[in-house]
Structures are given as structure tokens and as C-alpha cells.
Amino acid sequence: MDSLIAGAIAGLSVDLALYPLDTLKTRLQTNQIRALSSGKWYAGVSCCLLMSVPSSAVFFYTYETCKPNMHVALAAVVGESIAGLVRTPLEIVKQRMQAEIKGIRYNNIQIMRGYGAMLGRDVPFALIQYPLFEYLHERRKLPPAISGAIAGVTAACLTHPLDVVKTRIMVDDGIVLWTWRVLWDDVYKGKGSILVSGLRERVLMIGVGGFVYFGAYGAAKSMLASLSNQYLFIN
């Protein structure tokens, strides 16, 4: 229960603080240049709020439950896979609102493709981030916030092309082959920069986000444990 509540607090803290950076990243990755000058940096934030608390809570509950019985990396993958079921439908709507795409709608096929695209980014990200976080925090004894920032920046840099693909699939009606063909054409024509579009914004967002996320998670978990101990002592 401590992990569930602490994860919800951590996810909400990060998403609210860094949402404009996420919007900027989405618009850069989808070439929505017109939208860059329109403002509306909190477009889709309602979807983010609906998604953030349950998905973060589910992830950390699953992660902490699985971790004693399996490798950290595998526990993170299981956590991301289950949290993705909560996150995907609202993530599709959120990114389309960020890109100011009109007439937002989706069907079950788009949700499935969006889920696959999200796992294609989040599983490699988790395989890098969480073992590195555990190493820095448990072995090197760095504070959770510092460990989270370093692990997040490293994972963000190494998986960014997958984030570009995920965004394109979710925004472009989930048509996977079309998205890959456009990206391939851009790279073939010497426009390889498309695969790093929004990289600075994502690295900054995840670096700061990792600092706040793991810091808030660690602080919330410690506070909840302290309250639980006080309750047990009183009773």
C-alpha cells in the first residue's frame, strides 16, 4: 500500500511540473510547427492527470511486489507492461491534443498499436533505468533523487528514437507501417535529425522528472512508513 500511494504522489508531482516540456517535445516530434506558436502548453493535461495517478501507482505496486522474487530489470518490465494498459488510451488522446489535432477519436486497433508502441519504448527504457537506479542508490548510496536523475537521462538518450516512433504512431492514427516508412524516407534523404527531434526537451524533462519522481517517491514512502509505525505503536 505504501508503494501504491507513494507511486501515485510521485507520478502526479512530475507530470504537473513538467507538462509544458512534454507538450513541446510532442509538437517537435510530429512537426507541428504551427502549434508551437499557439501556446496552450497544458493542452491535454486533464488526460495526463487521469492517467498519471493510476498508472504510476500500478507500476510501483507491481514493481515493488515483483522485485523480491525476480531481477530488477524483469520486475520493471512487468510493471511497465501492466501500467501501459492503464496509460495507453489516455496517452493517445493526450498527445493528439498536444499536437492540436482536431476530431480526436480512436478505436480498439489504435489502442492495441499504441500499446505496442508504448511498450516498444518503455520496456527498453525500464531495462536501462531501473537497474541503473538500483545500482546507484543501493550500491553507490546516492540519494534517490540523484540516482533517478542520472538513470533517467541515460535511458532517455539511449531510447529517444523509439520515443519518436511511439509519438508518430499515436498521433498518426496508429498506422505503424506508414509511420516507419515516413521515418525511413526522412533518414534515407539525409534527414536523420528526425530521430533526435525533441531530444533536448525529453532529456531535460526526464532528468528533472527523475529527480522529482524518485525523490518524491522516496520521501512519500518514508513518510508513509513512519506514519504506519506510529499507528502501530499507538495501538
Side-chain angles (χ1 to χ4, degrees):
M1 184 59 69
D2 288 355
S3 298
L4 193 74
I5 298 172
I9 293 171
L12 188 62
S13 301
V14 171
D15 288 338
L16 278 178
L18 301 175
Y19 194 80
L21 268 178
D22 185 49
T23 301
L24 177 59
K25 175 193 73 79
T26 298
R27 291 174 180 177
L28 289 171
Q29 289 178 344
T30 54
N31 290 325
Q32 297 295 325
I33 306 301
R34 171 187 54 79
L36 290 176
S37 60
S38 71
K40 300 180 182 178
W41 298 110
Y42 278 90
V45 72
S46 56
C47 293
C48 181
L49 295 179
L50 288 172
M51 168 180 66
S52 176
V53 171
S55 64
S56 296
V58 166
F59 170 80
F60 268 111
Y61 177 77
T62 306
Y63 177 66
E64 295 287 1
T65 301
C66 293
K67 195 168 63 169
N69 304 309
M70 60 180 66
H71 191 275
V72 167
L74 184 56
V77 169
V78 174
E80 289 290 0
S81 300
I82 296 176
L85 295 171
V86 178
R87 191 184 303 140
T88 299
L90 287 169
E91 178 75 5
I92 293 172
V93 176
K94 183 202 79 170
Q95 290 206 306
R96 293 185 180 193
M97 291 178 72
Q98 287 176 323
E100 296 193 357
I101 293 175
K102 306 298 183 184
I104 296 170
R105 62 184 183 277
Y106 57 79
N107 54 40
N108 291 335
I109 297 298
Q110 289 169 334
I111 293 174
M112 290 169 55
R113 288 171 173 168
Y115 178 68
M118 182 167 282
L119 286 189
R121 179 201 65 179
D122 288 349
V123 166
F125 187 93
L127 287 172
I128 297 167
Q129 184 187 35
Y130 286 94
L132 181 55
F133 169 79
E134 295 288 350
Y135 170 78
L136 293 171
H137 181 50
E138 299 294 337
R139 298 277 187 88
R140 294 299 181 182
K141 305 302 180 184
L142 293 179
I146 300 297
S147 301
I150 295 173
V153 165
T154 303
C157 289
L158 295 176
T159 62
H160 187 73
L162 298 173
D163 184 62
V164 176
V165 172
K166 188 229 50 153
T167 299
R168 288 292 189 92
I169 289 172
M170 286 190 164
V171 170
D172 295 323
D173 291 327
I175 305 175
V176 179
L177 293 178
W178 184 89
T179 303
W180 278 109
R181 187 173 70 245
V182 169
L183 288 170
W184 172 253
D185 288 345
D186 284 340
V187 173
Y188 182 76
K189 293 172 184 176
K191 299 178 181 177
S193 60
I194 188 66
L195 293 178
V196 294
S197 57
L199 176 61
R200 287 180 304 175
E201 290 74 18
R202 183 165 182 253
V203 167
L204 178 60
M205 179 179 70
I206 292 179
V208 176
F211 185 90
V212 176
Y213 191 74
F214 286 98
Y217 178 72
K221 197 172 178 183
S222 297
M223 181 187 69
L224 290 167
S226 176
L227 290 173
S228 297
N229 290 334
Q230 289 178 16
Y231 176 81
L232 290 173
F233 177 76
I234 292 170
N235 287 272

